[in-house]
Amino acid sequence: MNDTTVFTLKNVPTELANAFRAACHLDGKRYREVLLECMTGYVKKAEERIKKEGIAALKRSV
């Protein structure tokens, strides 16, 4: 996904999709920027969990 890619929220409840769009607009950010921030945070949490619980946490999530 690049900055010019059209982004649609498929299979997302309308209220959530609208709230996401509004939040991005209020912050002056593109959907891509917000998604990358969320993904980065999610990955960091997963990495912390794996460090804490070991490889078993990774196997359970697959």
Side-chain angles (χ1 to χ4, degrees), residues 46-60:
E47 289 172 343
E48 289 171 8
R49 183 174 169 203
I50 291 168
K51 285 179 186 175
K52 180 180 177 184
E53 298 179 25
I55 197 72
L58 179 63
K59 288 181 180 177
R60 282 196 312 260

Side-chain angles (χ1 to χ4, degrees), residues 12-50:
V12 174
T14 303
E15 287 184 26
L16 179 59
N18 289 340
F20 178 74
R21 289 182 183 104
C24 291
H25 179 73
L26 282 173
D27 285 343
K29 295 183 178 181
R30 296 177 185 267
Y31 300 156
R32 179 184 181 277
E33 291 175 87
V34 177
L35 288 171
L36 289 173
E37 288 175 17
C38 293
M39 291 169 65
T40 300
Y42 193 82
V43 168
K44 284 181 182 179
K45 285 181 183 179
E47 289 172 343
E48 289 171 8
R49 183 174 169 203
I50 291 168

